[in-house]
Amino acid sequence: MVSSVLCRCVASPPAPGASSTQSPSGDPCGGAVCGGPDHRLRLWSLFQELDVNRDGGLCVNDLAVGLRRLGLHRTEVELRKIVKAGDKDLDGQLDFEEFVHYLQDHEKKLRLVFKSLDKKNDGRIDAQEIMQSLRDLGVKISEQQAEKILKRIRTGHFWGPVTYMDKNGTMTIDWNEWRDYHLLHPVENVPEIILYWKHSTIFDVGENLTVPDEFTVEERQTGMWWRHLVAGGGAGAVSRTCTAPLDRLKVLMQVHASRSNNMCIVGGFTQMIREGGAKSLWRGNGINVIKIAPESAIKFMAYEQIKRLVGSDQETLRIHERLVAGSLAGAIAQSSIYPMEVLKTRMALRKTGQYLGMLDCAKKILSKEGMTAFYKGYVPNMLGIIPYAGIDLAVYETLKNTWLQRYAVNSADPGVFVLLACGTISSTCGQLASYPLALVRTRMQAQASIEGAPEVTMSSLFKQILRTEGAFGLYRGLAPNFMKVIPAVSISYVVYENLKITLGVQSR
């Protein structure tokens, strides 16, 4: 039914003022997509078929029932996108004129996408072109998988019927097959295949070295990007606050634990509570939360500028381009807020009554140690960016591609638990690789707070730790650090999703 009403081009809109409750005339369309004098009548037939309740308008329920009768299954989110895209008078439904306008606009977008996929410019899309397009987006698939995409795609719910894009079995898709399949589907952009995987790395695990997330052109133009950043920042603030006791314990173990002072998790918590009460478990959390906003903003702006230099005109960068742009953006952001990192460490290590607050701590450091004290540990911190970001990104992409190759038969949507698992594993691997540098950085930041501690360089501190504590000494505090990853990611996800709803961010 759907393919029978679609012409080779889009119909011109009905005459202004034409009633949507009466059958339109069969005037020739003459638009860019229409192909015959009876095109409007065929569109009217489709409109009536979808208008289940016969009120002259297509609401979400009409589309759901009507398309299901035609053998097409769409999710409620997809149907809402269709109605929102075409609803010019904001009455919650599409009249016939709005319906035709939607088909016109959507088909133009589909033609642009088709042309971007048609690398050979021969009017057909084959398996090799599908593979190349997804490879440009960082998704590697086999030729057999590309042929599956061409041959059959299950749409909507997993219990829905299988619909075929390649109707004639040629293992290629021509324009008519592409248009017929996608015209009543809200997908407008090839990168949407992997957009399910985007905005998942925004979940906060208490570290600051992750590669920034990418945003689509639409998200940047509509202002959705800053809503994502605000939601991510709020989620990070809540998750860091909830896991702050583990974070402070990690810092204490990194600085004070040794062979002679084998601090365990229970003993560390007992020592903190005995020295300063339960409230002391959150020392250093204030500055840790405050620095989220400036770091995220600087990192995002730097990333957007750098990726224009290292990447092409594509909306989504390749993996190696993301690594370069992300590492540089992380270095710029860390350089800008690094004094706050030093303050966080000093506040976490302070004894009861040592400082009146963050400002008092900053003043005392400046007066006693000078400005250079705010950049102690800067070198190992910068060196840690590349292994952390590189391994985090590489593991995440590997897990993503593995899932897509093995399980993305009917849908590219991995689901919440897969995303959280991939993010948790990749972040854990990244932290494991960069942890020795993070430990050396923390000890250098804390040098002046340790009585009798001599000034040491990064290399001499590495040698000293290996000599006195062995390789295990480079991983002091690793246990509480890993203990906070899963709760941090989980809390961050829940808060992030709720903040997105509050801020009006559309979920993918």
Side-chain angles (χ1 to χ4, degrees):
M1 175 65 184
V2 175
S3 60
S4 68
V5 303
L6 299 176
C7 294
R8 299 297 179 264
C9 47
V10 171
S12 58
S19 172
S20 63
T21 58
Q22 297 178 356
S23 176
S25 65
D27 295 337
C29 45
V33 200
C34 190
D38 60 344
H39 181 62
R40 287 166 61 85
L41 286 174
R42 287 186 286 178
L43 283 178
W44 177 251
S45 297
L46 176 60
F47 183 84
Q48 287 186 312
E49 185 76 19
L50 297 175
D51 186 12
V52 177
N53 57 12
R54 303 300 180 194
D55 63 350
L58 302 180
C59 63
V60 172
N61 184 65
D62 286 333
L63 289 173
V65 176
L67 289 175
R68 194 177 299 119
R69 288 176 180 175
L70 299 176
L72 298 175
H73 290 254
R74 302 288 183 250
T75 66
E76 184 177 351
V77 173
E78 292 169 340
L79 296 176
R80 289 187 184 280
K81 282 186 178 182
I82 292 175
V83 173
K84 185 177 180 180
D87 186 16
K88 303 300 181 184
D89 57 9
L90 303 178
D91 62 351
Q93 61 181 4
L94 305 179
D95 58 30
F96 180 70
E97 183 178 348
E98 290 172 333
F99 180 65
V100 175
H101 271 289
Y102 169 77
L103 294 181
Q104 282 181 313
D105 295 339
H106 195 58
E107 187 163 352
K108 290 175 184 177
K109 294 173 184 176
L110 289 176
R111 187 176 287 277
L112 291 175
V113 174
F114 183 85
K115 288 182 178 180
S116 71
L117 286 171
D118 185 13
K119 307 289 185 182
K120 300 175 184 176
N121 199 28
D122 59 357
R124 292 182 176 276
I125 301 171
D126 58 27
Q128 293 297 324
E129 289 168 323
I130 292 286
M131 291 172 65
Q132 181 59 49
S133 296
L134 291 181
R135 193 176 298 117
D136 291 342
L137 298 174
V139 179
K140 296 180 181 179
I141 62 172
S142 65
E143 186 171 357
Q144 183 180 8
Q145 289 176 294
E147 290 175 353
K148 284 184 180 180
I149 293 175
L150 286 171
K151 185 178 179 181
R152 56 186 275 172
I153 295 181
R154 187 188 297 270
T155 59
H157 303 290
F158 64 87
W159 59 79
V162 175
T163 56
Y164 294 83
M165 198 186 316
D166 177 26
K167 297 175 183 176
N168 53 19
T170 60
M171 295 312 295
T172 61
I173 304 170
D174 61 24
W175 160 242
N176 293 328
E177 290 172 328
W178 174 266
R179 180 208 54 209
D180 291 0
Y181 184 82
H182 287 295
L183 194 57
L184 285 171
H185 192 289
V187 173
E188 301 172 357
N189 209 315
V190 178
E192 286 201 16
I193 293 175
I194 59 168
L195 274 180
Y196 295 103
W197 296 89
K198 300 177 77 64
H199 309 315
S200 57
T201 54
I202 205 167
F203 302 146
D204 191 278
V205 293
E207 303 297 325
N208 306 294
L209 306 178
T210 52
V211 176
D213 208 351
E214 291 186 48
F215 296 95
T216 63
V217 173
E218 178 186 3
E219 286 169 330
R220 290 196 294 268
Q221 290 175 344
T222 59
M224 282 296 168
W225 65 270
W226 69 261
R227 291 183 173 90
H228 276 289
L229 290 181
V230 171
V238 175
S239 67
R240 291 187 187 195
T241 300
C242 292
T243 59
L246 286 168
D247 192 61
R248 188 184 178 215
L249 177 61
K250 177 195 72 174
V251 174
L252 288 174
M253 293 177 74
Q254 285 178 330
V255 175
H256 295 303
S258 63
R259 281 181 176 173
S260 59
N261 181 24
N262 191 16
M263 184 185 298
C264 64
I265 293 174
V266 176
F269 278 124
T270 303
Q271 179 182 323
M272 285 189 288
I273 294 174
R274 186 185 299 121
E275 194 275 331
K279 187 178 179 181
S280 67
L281 297 176
W282 277 267
R283 284 179 184 171
N285 182 62
I287 191 73
N288 198 27
V289 169
I290 290 173
K291 66 187 178 70
I292 292 176
E295 192 202 13
S296 298
I298 295 169
K299 188 189 298 181
F300 170 73
M301 290 186 291
Y303 184 72
E304 289 297 310
Q305 295 299 319
I306 294 169
K307 79 175 188 177
R308 293 189 179 97
L309 301 176
V310 301
S312 60
D313 294 331
Q314 295 179 125
E315 185 173 311
T316 304
L317 297 183
R318 296 178 177 88
I319 296 176
H320 68 277
E321 293 171 339
R322 287 191 66 198
L323 175 59
V324 173
S327 298
L328 289 174
I332 293 172
Q334 283 282 292
S335 299
S336 303
I337 59 96
Y338 192 76
M340 300 177 77
E341 289 282 349
V342 176
L343 278 177
K344 175 220 167 186
T345 299
R346 293 293 183 89
M347 293 291 288
L349 294 171
R350 81 184 190 272
K351 296 179 180 179
T352 302
Q354 185 176 357
Y355 303 120
L356 299 177
M358 288 181 286
L359 291 178
D360 182 57
C361 178
K363 288 178 182 178
K364 288 183 178 179
I365 293 174
L366 185 62
S367 61
K368 293 181 180 179
E369 306 170 52
M371 192 65 192
T372 56
F374 289 104
Y375 284 90
K376 285 182 177 178
Y378 177 79
V379 174
N381 186 72
M382 292 297 106
L383 292 177
I385 288 177
I386 296 178
Y388 184 97
I391 293 176
D392 185 13
L393 185 59
V395 172
Y396 186 80
E397 292 294 326
T398 300
L399 293 173
K400 177 187 75 174
N401 288 325
T402 300
W403 188 92
L404 286 170
Q405 293 210 20
R406 293 187 179 182
Y407 305 108
V409 177
N410 302 326
S411 171
D413 183 2
V416 172
F417 292 109
V418 175
L419 286 178
L420 292 180
C422 290
T424 302
I425 294 171
S426 62
S427 175
T428 300
C429 292
Q431 290 186 60
L432 187 62
S434 63
Y435 195 83
L437 286 165
L439 181 138
V440 170
R441 173 203 66 192
T442 303
R443 288 203 179 182
M444 292 180 71
Q445 290 173 342
Q447 277 175 1
S449 65
I450 305 173
E451 294 182 8
E455 287 283 337
V456 291
T457 62
M458 181 183 72
S459 58
S460 63
L461 189 53
F462 263 115
K463 293 176 183 177
Q464 177 187 331
I465 294 173
L466 290 173
R467 185 178 63 255
T468 59
E469 303 177 48
F472 180 77
L474 294 172
Y475 290 90
R476 298 282 183 189
L478 188 64
N481 188 61
F482 280 174
M483 286 174 61
K484 71 186 179 72
V485 170
I486 293 179
V489 171
S490 303
I491 294 168
S492 183
Y493 173 77
V494 172
V495 177
Y496 179 63
E497 289 298 312
N498 282 278
L499 284 177
K500 282 203 307 181
I501 295 172
T502 303
L503 294 170
V505 177
Q506 296 178 355
S507 295
R508 291 288 178 184

